[in-house]
Amino acid sequence: LSTRDMRLLAVVIMAAGKGTRMNSDLPKVLHCLSGKPLIHHVVETAKRLGADRLIAVVGHRREDVQKALEGQGVEFVVQESQLGTGHAVQQAIPALRDFRGEVVVLSGDVPLLRASSLEQLVKYHRKTDAAATVLTAIAPDPFSYGRIVRDAEGKFAKIVEERDANERERSVREVNSGVYCFRAISLFGALQHLKNDNRKGEYYLTDVIGILRQSGEVVQAIDLAGFYEIRGINTAAELEEAESRWESESNSGNS
């Protein structure tokens, strides 16, 4: 192994949200897919990736989430108020203060993401010596997703959210999966500069990408995942859809 391949890897799983659209008081990540809580699927994927550290950011009914992950080798950090994805990852900084290596950020409600997609993401990130690499997918209907804007040479330029996109950008079908691989030191530096001057008053992890680019760091985006892999579960209908996808993947031996 080269020194680059021997670098440490931490995975941070965002699992603090309520999941109000599920119409249930149960934390969203504890709803079951194929007989297991959503977050179990995500933790298993992170383990297959060979993570050295596994950190779950918990908030809503955190005791229940922690109990569900007992004995799984997961460390916990608490997000008291849900102030956005950037704020969630900020909570992991003290736990990873001396960590040198890469940090992969996942969501606890995205259960179908494959370990092979993440392996390729980390490999590409290290090969290109990027500060951040965004995992992308091609969406049949990209509505509501952040679009990946590339320059004339096809290099990553920026992520544009649906509400800020112009007509040309809206027609882009390559979307942000919300899954990232960061160089730890670059991530922690950029997180210190996050601002919440947006409509919701939240701190967004996507803004870290812009901060890194503005400071001259290399940011990559790579289309590696099937669109179904990156879908978050927000409603009972989406959970049902994921269940049938899970069954068809299992039956074809690809899960």
Side-chain angles (χ1 to χ4, degrees):
L1 280 179
S2 70
T3 48
R4 182 166 287 165
D5 292 328
M6 287 167 66
R7 288 202 304 227
L8 293 173
L9 187 66
V11 173
V12 173
I13 301 173
M14 295 183 284
K18 284 182 181 166
T20 40
R21 287 163 61 198
M22 296 299 275
N23 294 326
S24 158
D25 189 43
L26 190 68
K28 182 163 61 163
V29 297
L30 295 187
H31 284 265
C32 283
L33 168 72
S34 181
K36 275 191 294 204
L38 297 177
I39 195 162
H40 275 204
H41 294 281
V42 181
V43 166
E44 281 170 15
T45 301
K47 286 181 172 174
R48 283 205 291 275
L49 188 61
D52 299 286
R53 303 273 303 275
L54 195 42
I55 295 172
V57 184
V58 294
H60 174 63
R61 286 182 53 178
R62 61 178 179 267
E63 295 84 3
D64 296 332
V65 179
Q66 286 174 252
K67 196 163 189 287
L69 290 173
E70 247 171 16
Q72 301 265 347
V74 177
E75 303 167 53
F76 299 98
V77 297
V78 178
Q79 185 185 23
E80 292 289 358
S81 311
Q82 276 79 68
L83 298 175
T85 48
H87 180 257
V89 179
Q90 280 175 339
Q91 309 315 302
I93 295 177
L96 290 170
R97 184 167 282 121
D98 302 319
F99 184 82
R100 294 292 173 268
E102 275 75 45
V103 177
V104 169
V105 178
L106 303 176
S107 294
D109 64 351
V110 179
L112 297 179
L113 188 61
R114 294 179 177 191
S116 56
S117 300
L118 288 178
E119 278 162 13
Q120 290 176 69
L121 172 70
V122 173
K123 201 171 175 183
Y124 180 80
H125 172 86
R126 287 175 168 168
K127 189 177 81 179
T128 57
D129 206 23
T133 305
V134 184
L135 180 70
T136 75
I138 305 301
D141 173 11
F143 179 75
S144 86
Y145 281 84
R147 309 299 203 279
I148 300 295
V149 177
R150 295 180 179 273
D151 64 18
E153 292 171 3
K155 290 197 179 113
F156 173 77
K158 60 182 175 175
I159 298 168
V160 178
E161 297 306 329
E162 172 83 34
R163 64 182 173 275
D164 304 320
N166 59 36
E167 209 171 323
R168 189 178 56 81
E169 289 162 347
R170 281 206 183 104
S171 69
V172 171
R173 286 177 51 216
E174 185 180 11
V175 298
N176 174 23
S177 67
V179 173
Y180 310 90
C181 183
F182 293 100
R183 185 191 297 135
I185 203 158
S186 303
L187 170 64
F188 301 152
L191 282 170
Q192 314 286 354
H193 298 289
L194 275 190
K195 293 187 171 62
N196 67 341
D197 47 5
N198 51 61
R199 217 162 29 91
K200 285 177 129 181
E202 292 188 350
Y203 298 88
Y204 295 124
L205 192 56
T206 40
D207 291 346
V208 162
I209 301 298
I211 290 166
L212 289 171
R213 274 188 62 89
Q214 277 160 13
S215 62
E217 297 250 38
V218 174
V219 176
Q220 302 280 5
I222 183 160
D223 165 25
L224 283 170
F227 181 61
Y228 74 89
E229 286 183 67
I230 68 159
R231 305 271 309 267
I233 309 286
N234 294 301
T235 63
E238 286 171 358
L239 185 57
E240 213 171 294
E241 207 180 307
E243 190 77 59
S244 57
R245 167 62 77 164
W246 178 271
E247 279 169 26
S248 67
E249 286 290 302
S250 301
N251 293 338
S252 65
N254 288 334
S255 74

